[in-house]
Every structure is written in C-alpha cells, then in structure tokens.
Amino acid sequence: MDYKQVLENLYDIIASEENDGAIATYIPELAKVDANNFGVCLLSTKNKEYGVGNWQTKFSIQSISKVLSLSIAYQIFGDKIWERVDVEPSGTPFNSLVQLESDAGIPRNPFMNSGAMVICDMLVSYYENPKEDFLAAIRELCSSSEIIYSEAVAKSEASVGYRNKALCNFIKSFGNIENEPEEVLDFYFHICAIEMSCQELSKVFMFLANPNFTTSKGTKVLNLSKTKRVNAIMQTCGFYDESGEFSFRVGLPGKSGVGGGIVAVYPGKYCITVWSPKLNEKGNSYRGMKFLEAFTTETEQSIF
Ligand code: GLN
C-alpha cells in the first residue's frame, strides 16, 4: 500500500475544502493557536514514517493523554482499576457530571474527564513525584526527552476549571478519589497540557499497534490481552457522544483531544495522527474526522 500517495492526495483535497468548526476557547491559552495548522503523520509497525503539513509542530494533546494515563495505570495495577472505573460508553459529553450521581461516583469509562481523574488519582498515589515520573514514562515510550508540559496551558485550564473541580470533588464525596482533589486536578491539568507533534504521538501510541513493541529501556508496556482492552475502550469511548459516529465513519480505535488532535490505531499495521485545531460541536477535530474517514475509505483498510 502506497500510504504516502494516499496521504498527500487526501491532504491536498481536504486542505482545499472549507475548515468548519471552532477552536476550543474555554481554555484561554488554547485560543491562541493558529486555526490553519493541519498535519498528519502515519507510522507503520514496520517503522515506515510518512508526514504531511504541520506534522512536526507540537500542540496540546489534551484528552489524548487519557489513553496514556490509562495504559500506564493498567500496567501498574492490572485489573484492579476496573473496580473504580467502568468500561461502558457514556453517550454524554466529555465533561459530563450527570451519570455520576446514579452510578455512585464510578465513572462510566476512563476517557471521560471523571474516569480520567480516577485514573490520575491512582497514579498520584503510586508515584513519588507524579508529574515528573509520569513525564519520564511518556518520554521512555516515545524514546524522546523532548516531551514537555505546557505550564501556560495547565495554568490556564486550572484558572477556569470550575467544572473539572466540581467533578473531582463530587467523585471524592463518593470515596472514589483517595488524594486531595487539588493534587489530582493539578496532575490532570498537567497531563492534558502535554505538548506533542503528530510525529511524536504516532510514535508514542505504537505500543497499541505493534505487538512486539518495547520501550527505549526494552520493557513491554501491555501484554496482548491488555492491549486489546485499551484499543476496545478507544473504539467504544474515544470520542464521547460521537464514538459511534467515529466507529461508523473511520472504523478504527482512536482518541481525540480538544487541542484538535486525533490518534487512530490500526492494530498490526499503523498509528496515524491528524491535527487540525477547529472542532465540531462534539469537541472533535473537524478535519481530523474528515481526513481519517477519507483515509480508511481510500485505502480500503479497517479492522471491520
Ligand atoms: N483538559 C480538557 C478538559 O478537561 C480535556 C478535554 C478534551 O480534550 N476532550 O476539559
């Protein structure tokens, strides 16, 4: 398959069409990003890399980080994590509070903000220096020391994060947060504020695509059974109340973030990351969705 040709053709077509949607402005720092950025990077399990547009520009990965925190927590704690967070699609927006009351503080899945906070709480309890230790784990996954937190984005989100603060306190009231909400939220805002390029994200997600993946230190991240489960949660919950739509249109497990990034994984074949900051009304990248739909249609490859 000549991925390069397909990527370049689709990029030109989609870049020439209207760029619908709106940049996330509820985090003031994210509003400063140039809406015209558009990048794609595909990394195959055979280590062939193809990039188009702004594929090497770093951006705020936001909720894409939730796959990394989940995977690292899953590696550390195993199946015990499912006692505190479920694996059902919520059908609600990412920052929803509604189901928590009837579900007694057990979030529906680890990719909603509520579920990600419970996972963050586990990591805060586990690590000696949560922010430093988590970043070190991500750097090891990516074989790169260039991965950083944007302190400006983390601070900006904290300054307006009333809803996330409500979520964390609410879950704490049910006893499903062990640490002080301030500490969990600080960690959560930081992992959302990690900056990576499409190139780096495709690399960092390779452990979910390549069954033989090992980190720069030679360690395996998740075994095949755990890899299957994380990919399954991405398939069913990666796009909040647009998860069904993404499955229907793209047919791959994936995860979006309000910074405009989307990573999709084709187990055994490749990781692909698209970045375009304008979001549709569900908070997913307009061009990202469009590009990935066209890509799996054009290549006639999907897991289904
Ligand atoms: N940090 C963002 C928030 O909590 C992440 C949301 C997202 O990317 N969907 O609102």
Side-chain angles (χ1 to χ4, degrees):
M1 173 65 63
D2 188 0
Y3 289 133
K4 184 174 185 306
Q5 188 73 42
V6 182
L7 287 169
E8 286 172 1
N9 281 348
L10 291 178
Y11 185 91
D12 289 344
I13 293 168
I14 291 172
S16 71
E17 293 170 351
E18 90 290 8
N19 190 8
D20 251 0
I23 291 194
T25 51
Y26 77 99
I27 300 173
E29 198 63 25
L30 292 185
K32 295 182 181 166
V33 171
D34 181 349
N36 295 316
N37 278 295
F38 184 23
V40 185
C41 175
L42 183 147
L43 180 63
S44 81
T45 48
K46 295 191 176 119
N47 214 22
K48 287 216 155 39
E49 183 181 74
Y50 310 91
V52 204
N54 309 103
W55 67 295
Q56 290 175 310
T57 308
K58 284 183 190 282
F59 60 93
S60 192
I61 71 167
Q62 292 296 320
S63 283
I64 298 172
S65 64
K66 293 171 181 167
V67 182
L68 305 175
S69 50
L70 170 68
S71 300
I72 289 171
Y74 201 13
Q75 181 191 35
I76 297 168
F77 302 107
D79 287 324
K80 274 172 76 76
I81 63 177
W82 311 125
E83 290 166 15
R84 293 178 57 190
V85 58
D86 209 341
V87 293
E88 288 301 332
S90 68
T92 58
F94 57 85
N95 54 8
S96 176
L97 285 128
V98 288
Q99 292 155 338
L100 278 173
E101 173 100 49
S102 52
D103 292 345
I106 305 289
R108 287 279 163 111
N109 66 67
F111 295 156
M112 310 175 68
N113 290 10
S114 53
M117 281 177 202
V118 169
I119 298 289
C120 282
D121 181 57
M122 296 176 196
L123 293 174
V124 166
S125 295
Y126 177 80
Y127 285 133
E128 199 160 323
N129 299 301
K131 288 185 272 187
E132 291 78 356
D133 296 348
F134 184 77
L135 198 58
I138 302 301
R139 288 174 168 177
E140 186 186 331
L141 268 183
C142 196
S143 309
S144 163
S145 55
E146 313 271 293
I147 314 293
I148 44 159
Y149 293 121
S150 162
E151 288 299 332
V153 172
K155 207 166 148 205
S156 175
E157 181 163 14
S159 73
V160 293
Y162 302 109
R163 205 176 167 89
N164 282 326
K165 290 174 192 172
L167 271 169
C168 197
N169 282 285
F170 196 41
I171 306 168
K172 174 95 181 161
S173 78
F174 288 101
N176 199 14
I177 292 281
E178 288 171 357
N179 299 282
E180 281 309 312
E182 290 68 34
E183 200 186 347
V184 177
L185 285 159
D186 182 54
F187 182 66
Y188 172 82
F189 291 141
H190 274 82
I191 73 164
C192 288
I194 289 176
E195 308 225 304
M196 281 192 225
S197 63
C198 294
Q199 182 180 30
E200 289 165 335
L201 274 167
S202 290
K203 200 164 174 202
V204 105
F205 269 68
M206 197 34 80
F207 71 96
L208 292 170
N210 184 353
N212 301 316
F213 178 90
T214 51
T215 69
S216 54
K217 289 190 183 152
T219 43
K220 213 167 166 53
V221 189
L222 298 175
N223 64 23
L224 284 184
S225 160
K226 289 193 170 83
T227 304
K228 173 191 76 179
R229 292 176 201 281
V230 172
N231 279 328
I233 306 171
M234 280 206 285
Q235 188 75 51
T236 50
C237 311
F239 297 79
Y240 320 107
D241 45 345
E242 204 172 32
S243 298
E245 181 85 11
F246 187 82
S247 254
F248 178 73
R249 285 168 53 181
V250 180
L252 294 175
K255 185 75 202 80
S256 62
V258 291
I262 299 182
V263 183
V265 176
Y266 193 135
K269 278 201 163 54
Y270 61 70
C271 288
I272 184 167
T273 306
V274 186
W275 173 48
S276 169
K278 282 195 176 181
L279 310 177
N280 65 20
E281 64 292 345
K282 306 277 181 163
N284 299 316
S285 170
Y286 170 77
R287 279 188 165 165
M289 298 278 287
K290 197 168 172 181
F291 187 91
L292 290 168
E293 177 178 17
F295 185 73
T296 51
T297 306
E298 198 64 32
T299 53
E300 297 184 323
Q301 291 181 345
S302 107
I303 62 165
F304 296 108

